[in-house]
Amino acid sequence: MLKDAFNLTLVERKMVTPTILHMVFNKEDGQRLDYVPGQFVTFHFDLDGEHFLRSYSIASIPHQTQAIEIAVSPYPEGAGTTKLFAMQPGDNILTTGPFGRLVLRDPVEDPKRYVLVATGTGVTPYRTMLTSLSKRLQNMNLSVMVLLGIKSPAELLYGKDFRDFAAKHENFQFHEFYSREFPENMNAMQHQGYVQTAFNWLKLDPNNDVIYLCGNAGMIDEAFAKCIELGFETKKIRREKYISPRLLKRKV
């Protein structure tokens, strides 16, 4: 048995987009898992005689649930896809964690704006930050922007949560970027193209902005390079890169 490992029991599963599976787990011992919003858990399992580790960002909104929620994007013939998509309520999985540094830190830097950029399931850490952001946004000198890049309207993950949050907080914006199919009658928060194109009009300020990047490697590398070009210190750019379902989700 791994040190500090525990079992999670699946209690609910549902498709929240045509491809993404939302899963809800409780700790088998009935205790709450203490985590910092933005962290992830790692699953340990055997499949066809091989041992695998797969990591998934926690997607739970803390004030709404004690459960551990994740979002799983399928990868053809991937071990994580095979294991998790086959699980049914009542099944257990060996787990370690929480891990990860893509968290909201104490506001020592006193930023004027957080810019949280994601592609696909990379938006899940930001969903779990909503409770913390609500408290921080009581400071009207602070603003937060979440930018999500997806292929089509059908793949908008947790869109209602972010839209509802934006409706309650005037200093919070949720921008949607569509790369292949576009919504009808697009509004000011909906855009055509890749999410990193927003860096051309965001007027990023190295002195007052803190940037979070989570999702596919191509987006993160391009966005990171742009931030460096604009004069950002690396400590003000926080990244969590999804390299490949064939490997562990690497944290950088």
Side-chain angles (χ1 to χ4, degrees), residues 69-176:
E69 304 177 8
I70 66 167
V72 184
S73 183
Y75 184 83
E77 300 181 2
T81 299
T82 301
K83 174 65 176 181
L84 296 177
F85 273 70
M87 289 186 68
Q88 298 299 319
D91 292 346
N92 292 336
I93 190 164
L94 185 65
T95 310
T96 53
F99 307 110
R101 297 172 295 164
L102 192 82
V103 300
L104 292 171
R105 302 172 193 179
D106 291 334
V108 175
E109 302 156 324
D110 192 27
K112 295 292 192 301
R113 180 172 63 168
Y114 287 110
V115 180
L116 313 179
V117 187
T119 54
T121 55
V123 80
T124 55
Y126 308 150
R127 182 181 189 248
T128 202
M129 293 176 184
L130 290 179
T131 299
S132 298
L133 287 172
S134 183
K135 296 175 182 177
R136 296 192 183 209
L137 286 168
Q138 294 175 17
N139 173 8
M140 296 306 295
N141 293 319
L142 174 69
S143 65
V144 177
M145 300 179 71
V146 173
L147 287 66
L148 173 59
I150 48 178
K151 295 178 182 178
S152 68
E155 294 298 328
L156 180 62
L157 181 61
Y158 305 132
K160 184 178 187 304
D161 296 311
F162 290 104
R163 290 170 176 172
D164 289 350
F165 190 84
K168 297 175 182 177
H169 300 83
E170 61 181 278
N171 43 343
F172 177 92
Q173 294 183 0
F174 176 55
H175 290 265
E176 307 157 20

Side-chain angles (χ1 to χ4, degrees), residues 53-55 243-250:
L53 308 179
R54 291 294 182 268
S55 298
I243 301 297
S244 168
R246 295 182 185 275
L247 307 172
L248 277 175
K249 187 198 308 182
R250 188 172 70 195

Side-chain angles (χ1 to χ4, degrees), residues 147 177 191-202 222:
L147 287 66
F177 291 79
H191 314 270
Q192 295 185 13
Y194 293 106
V195 67
Q196 56 266 39
T197 61
F199 283 45
N200 297 325
W201 51 261
L202 279 176
E222 185 175 335

Side-chain angles (χ1 to χ4, degrees), residues 22-23 35 39 56-62 65 67-71 123-129 158 161:
H22 178 86
M23 307 183 78
Y35 65 92
Q39 291 188 307
Y56 295 89
S57 297
I58 298 170
S60 316
I61 301 178
T65 181
I68 298 301
E69 304 177 8
I70 66 167
V123 80
T124 55
Y126 308 150
R127 182 181 189 248
T128 202
M129 293 176 184
Y158 305 132
D161 296 311

